[in-house]
Amino acid sequence: MPSRCDGSYSYVGGYARNGKWSERMNSRKHREQERPGGNLASLVLAKHILERGDSAQAIEVVSPILLNDPQHVPALEIKARAQWRLGLYDEALRSLGALTRLNPQEPGYQYLKGLCLQGLGRFGLALRAFERCARSTSPEAQAATEAIVHLREWQEFLIQELIACDREFRRAYLRDAETAAKNRGFDLGKPQTYHAEESEKRAAHQWLRPS
């Protein structure tokens, strides 16, 4: 079953959360921007901060770079990943859209796109993105392949839950499983079976379960 990284963890080392950290980081960031190679220094700093778990601060570090150059690919990559970790999936998808236009040959963007779409519950589109990455030679190809397996298992579970507790969906699924699933954002990809006995038991449990 896929897990969701919601960016809830935080950087707790040193003075990461007090005023001294913000003051020192801001002054350092401006110094880096003022001299040649400042972008590189800021990118290294932002990547380090992101790896330590402070996604919001990483976005803040790359924001001046993107203000001067909205098409700066390395800064956009850091921003997109930080947005995903924060659970800002729509914003991350916009950043990834810009990245895909700037660098369409990079399949790794499809993996992150799949994670964002999965977080939004758009499983069919997430599977398509994962599959595009899995067919590539990207370092993320293996992770994308595993994500496909996990997401299909998760879909199967959710569909069976819907069959158990949503009579309208159950009738539609029995008439045309693929269409019924697609209308709910799923992508079957392969035939799935309706486990009638198990579903009826779950439906009964819905009535018996205390509120």
Side-chain angles (χ1 to χ4, degrees):
M1 193 175 297
S3 63
R4 170 180 164 183
C5 177
D6 58 9
S8 57
Y9 57 86
S10 61
Y11 174 36
V12 295
Y15 34 74
R17 289 298 183 186
N18 60 30
K20 290 183 179 179
W21 164 258
S22 297
E23 181 181 350
R24 176 170 173 167
M25 241 260 301
N26 287 334
S27 61
R28 177 178 178 181
K29 178 175 62 179
H30 291 311
R31 289 198 305 271
E32 300 288 5
Q33 292 293 327
E34 288 170 359
R35 67 171 184 263
N39 280 354
L40 178 59
S42 292
L43 289 170
V44 171
L45 179 62
K47 183 178 179 181
H48 173 71
I49 293 170
L50 184 61
E51 290 172 350
R52 296 297 296 267
D54 197 335
S55 300
Q57 191 69 63
I59 292 174
E60 183 178 334
V61 173
V62 298
S63 290
I65 300 175
L66 293 170
L67 184 63
N68 294 326
D69 182 6
Q71 297 184 339
H72 195 287
V73 170
L76 273 172
E77 288 177 343
I78 291 173
K79 183 178 181 180
R81 184 163 293 277
Q83 289 169 325
W84 164 67
R85 288 187 174 183
L86 289 169
L88 303 174
Y89 302 125
D90 286 315
E91 290 88 338
L93 286 172
R94 285 193 286 272
S95 297
L96 287 166
L99 283 166
T100 302
R101 289 189 294 273
L102 293 167
N103 190 14
Q105 303 305 317
E106 174 50 62
Y109 299 153
Q110 295 299 318
Y111 176 62
L112 188 55
K113 180 179 180 180
L115 292 175
C116 292
L117 290 166
Q118 179 178 306
L120 291 169
R122 297 159 69 180
F123 298 139
L125 292 175
L127 282 168
R128 298 285 79 78
F130 287 143
E131 287 166 356
R132 285 192 290 273
C133 182
R135 290 193 297 266
S136 73
T137 58
S138 167
E140 292 86 1
Q142 181 59 38
T145 300
E146 294 173 359
I148 291 168
V149 174
H150 295 157
L151 185 49
R152 288 208 180 280
E153 292 175 352
W154 181 232
Q155 275 196 146
E156 174 70 19
F157 171 78
L158 292 176
I159 287 172
Q160 294 302 323
E161 287 292 299
L162 280 171
I163 289 171
C165 62
D166 188 325
R167 294 180 181 179
E168 182 179 347
F169 176 78
R170 179 168 55 194
R171 287 194 294 267
Y173 189 85
L174 290 173
R175 286 195 303 270
D176 185 343
E178 185 175 355
T179 299
K182 186 176 181 180
N183 289 340
R184 295 296 183 98
F186 300 115
D187 181 353
L188 299 186
K190 59 182 180 180
Q192 295 189 20
T193 56
Y194 167 38
H195 307 302
E197 182 178 354
E198 182 181 354
S199 294
E200 294 302 333
K201 288 179 180 179
R202 288 178 178 170
H205 290 162
Q206 293 290 328
W207 290 101
L208 296 173
R209 187 178 302 159
S211 58

